[in-house]
Structures are given as C-alpha cells and as structure tokens.
Amino acid sequence: MFGRYQANGPTRLRIIILGRPQTYGGRFIAWIVLLIAGLLEVVWAIGLKYTQGFTRLIPSIITIAAMVISMLLLAHAMKTLPTGTAYAVWTGIGAVGAAIMGMVLLGESTNIARIISPCLIVIGILGLKFSSH
C-alpha cells in the first residue's frame, strides 16, 4: 500500500499512494482508499459490540485501530474527492456494512424493510460516486 508507481508514456499516468493524488489515476486511488476507509468503519462499528463497553482488551485494540486508520484514510481521500461526496460515501458504506453484518453476525432481524433500506443507501452512494467530477 505504501509506494509509488509511475508509468512513462503518452499519458504520464502518475499514482502516488498516501501522497496527494494529482491525476486521473490518483482520483481512482482516492476512491479505493475511501472504499477501504468505509470497510474499516464497518469493522469498528461491529467491533464496538464485541468490546462490551471497552472492557475487553483485544476487541478494544482492534476497534480503536480500525477507527484511527479509517479516519486517516478518509482524510486522505478528501484531499482529492469532494468533501460532501467522500463523507457521504464513507458513512454510507459504514451504515450498509454495519446493517448487513449485524444481520449476519449478530442475528439482528431481517425483515423486508431492513433489507430494502440498505439497498436505497447503496443507490444514493452510487449516485454520488457517478455524479462527482
């Protein structure tokens, strides 16, 4: 994840990971970084349940690490992506992921409204992603 890739050629595509992306390739990387940040938000949201109020050491360490890394990656993605879009996508991934994982891992109810609602969030996320410039 840490490193540089530079392609020489007519497009001069330059991708710098964890630096300030400058080109189209950097924008693509920003979206990947935002996706990873969103997935880590799911980890810490579910992890909160397993910490039992931060009384269990290992789940607490994992949850706090996921929180910190998720925020750092979100901040990095916001260097390139519009703030409103990045934040909405990040929270959307977290909300949908936490809802799905709650149903799968924690035995939360799976009625039709709880299945359709995350689908509507995904539609909103895709709308933001494809309408950002």
Side-chain angles (χ1 to χ4, degrees):
M1 178 135 193
F2 297 94
R4 293 177 182 232
Y5 170 80
Q6 187 163 350
N8 293 322
T11 60
R12 302 282 301 169
L13 177 64
R14 181 176 166 201
I15 300 171
I16 302 174
I17 300 175
L18 294 178
R20 182 163 173 88
Q22 304 284 329
T23 63
Y24 175 78
R27 191 165 174 81
F28 176 76
I29 293 297
W31 280 106
I32 298 299
V33 168
L34 184 61
L35 174 65
I36 295 167
L39 294 174
L40 285 169
E41 185 185 6
V42 175
V43 170
W44 69 256
I46 296 299
L48 284 173
K49 183 77 167 180
Y50 289 103
T51 67
Q52 295 179 355
F54 290 103
T55 60
R56 297 180 62 211
L57 181 62
I58 299 301
S60 296
I61 291 170
I62 292 169
T63 299
I64 291 168
M67 285 177 176
V68 170
I69 295 168
S70 179
M71 286 289 194
L72 290 172
L73 293 176
L74 173 62
H76 174 69
M78 284 183 167
K79 289 179 182 177
T80 301
L81 303 175
T83 300
T85 301
Y87 184 73
V89 169
W90 179 72
T91 57
I93 292 169
V96 170
I100 291 169
M101 297 308 289
M103 291 181 231
V104 172
L105 292 178
L106 304 174
E108 296 174 359
S109 69
T110 56
N111 62 48
I112 192 72
R114 287 184 53 90
I115 293 171
I116 291 174
S117 297
C119 293
L120 295 173
I121 295 171
V122 169
I123 291 168
I125 291 170
L126 291 174
L128 285 171
K129 196 258 184 255
F130 291 116
S131 67
S132 70
H133 40 90

